[in-house]
């Protein structure tokens, strides 16, 4: 059974810093991995999707890497801004008989102005 | 192109009543997924449907919960005889293909059981 763990559970940093969020998963047989952002009381916004054959994806100040063999992904946020404050969720698609995404519990990020 | 739509956004029910949650996928998407987010918990997969078919309901509680995605109209998640433990945010997602496509999420329905 796939399990996804995110570290740290919460993070507070001053504006302008670069930061890294970590995600690990127990079963390396995945189709893809997604990073989402969730604002309080809101739905999920997809940030980046990395296919199992890819090593990384970039969008603006965000860069996500994937090391499938070691079961790890990182989300790098450059030059953080207060508007980046949110909960960041990592989810893996294991496919096969389990057709839903398996989510971690998220990292609650606060960027101090 | 409208995103995934869910209604109602907030739903309050008393114990024993029925809750019906609706999800309209993005235009052109035929795959729908339902997830539940309990307080202080991560999102958990419940059920995956294509038009008129339930593909995987391995995450769905065996009793009181059912889902459908008819040929016409939105997908419905139905909870019968709700209990306080059903209070949660229920999210719907849709995708155009199964394997490699991004799942796009709706804003969720927040169910409160009194």
């Amino acid at each position: 059974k796939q399990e996804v763990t995110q570290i740290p559970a919460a993070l507070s940093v001053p504006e302008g810093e670069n930061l890294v969020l970590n995600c690990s998963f127990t079963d390396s047989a995945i189709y893809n991995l997604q990073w989402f952002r969730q604002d309080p009381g809101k739905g999920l916004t997809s940030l980046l999707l990395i296919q199992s054959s890819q090593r990384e994806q970039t969008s603006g100040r965000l860069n996500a890497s994937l090391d499938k063999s070691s079961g790890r992904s990182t989300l790098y946020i450059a030059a953080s801004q207060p508007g980046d404050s949110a909960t960041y969720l990592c989810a893996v698609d294991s496919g096969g008989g389990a057709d839903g995404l398996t989510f971690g519990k998220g990292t609650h990020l606060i960027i101090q102005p | 192109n409208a995103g995934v739509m869910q209604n109602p956004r907030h739903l309050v029910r008393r114990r024993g009543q029925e809750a019906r949650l609706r999800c309209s996928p993005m235009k052109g998407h035929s795959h729908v997924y339902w997830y539940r987010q309990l307080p202080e918990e991560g999102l958990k997969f419940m059920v995956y449907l294509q038009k008129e078919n339930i593909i995987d309901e391995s995450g769905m509680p065996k009793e009181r919960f059912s889902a459908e995605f008819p040929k016409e109209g939105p997908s419905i998640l139905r909870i019968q005889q709700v209990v306080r433990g059903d209070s949660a945010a229920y999210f719907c997602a849709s995708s155009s293909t199964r394997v490699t496509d991004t799942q796009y999420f709706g804003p969720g329905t927040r169910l409160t059981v009194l």
Side-chain angles (χ1 to χ4, degrees):
Chain A
K1 179 186 171 186
Q2 181 73 270
E3 293 183 4
V4 178
T5 303
Q6 290 187 246
I7 294 173
L11 182 63
S12 181
V13 300
E15 179 178 5
E17 284 199 6
N18 304 322
L19 54 99
V20 175
L21 309 182
N22 297 290
C23 171
S24 61
F25 47 96
T26 55
D27 186 348
S28 62
I30 64 171
Y31 282 94
N32 60 54
L33 182 146
Q34 281 185 256
W35 283 92
F36 293 89
R37 167 185 174 140
Q38 184 176 26
D39 293 283
K42 301 288 181 62
L44 279 69
T45 301
S46 180
L47 298 173
L48 290 163
L49 180 146
I50 311 176
Q51 304 293 352
S52 61
S53 58
Q54 297 174 323
R55 298 282 296 186
E56 66 178 338
Q57 282 286 336
T58 298
S59 176
R61 295 182 293 108
L62 305 179
N63 175 275
S65 68
L66 174 64
D67 184 343
K68 203 173 75 162
S69 61
S70 67
R72 294 180 183 178
S73 175
T74 61
L75 179 67
Y76 175 81
I77 303 176
S80 58
Q81 303 170 357
D84 295 331
S85 298
T87 297
Y88 290 80
L89 300 170
C90 169
V92 299
D93 187 346
S94 300
D99 283 287
L101 299 178
T102 303
F103 281 84
K105 291 188 177 182
T107 293
H108 181 54
L109 176 65
I110 296 174
I111 307 299
Q112 305 155 11
Chain B
N1 186 11
V4 178
M5 299 175 68
Q6 290 188 249
N7 66 81
R9 295 290 306 276
H10 300 274
L11 182 61
V12 179
R13 286 287 179 266
R14 297 190 181 279
R15 281 179 296 170
Q17 292 183 319
E18 177 179 288
R20 279 185 180 239
L21 289 62
R22 295 174 184 77
C23 169
S24 296
M26 285 182 69
K27 186 176 181 181
H29 286 191
S30 59
H31 301 252
V32 166
Y33 312 80
W34 285 94
Y35 295 84
R36 176 166 66 173
Q37 187 175 37
L38 292 165
E40 306 304 322
E41 294 287 329
L43 277 85
K44 303 290 185 187
F45 165 74
M46 299 181 74
V47 62
Y48 161 44
L49 311 102
Q50 292 183 33
K51 283 286 188 182
E52 301 185 273
N53 289 303
I54 296 174
I55 307 301
D56 181 358
E57 54 182 351
S58 59
M60 194 96 99
K62 293 289 186 287
E63 298 178 350
R64 301 187 298 108
F65 285 72
S66 62
E68 63 177 10
F69 189 14
K71 187 177 180 180
E72 302 291 337
S75 175
I76 307 287
L77 179 67
R78 182 184 179 203
I79 311 172
Q80 296 177 291
Q81 300 175 331
V82 296
V83 300
R84 289 210 173 119
D86 297 332
S87 295
Y90 291 83
F91 290 95
C92 167
S94 73
S95 68
S96 61
T97 63
R98 161 58 194 97
V99 175
T100 59
D101 202 20
T102 299
Q103 291 186 20
Y104 294 88
F105 280 74
T109 293
R110 277 150 186 85
L111 173 65
T112 301
V113 179
L114 301 178

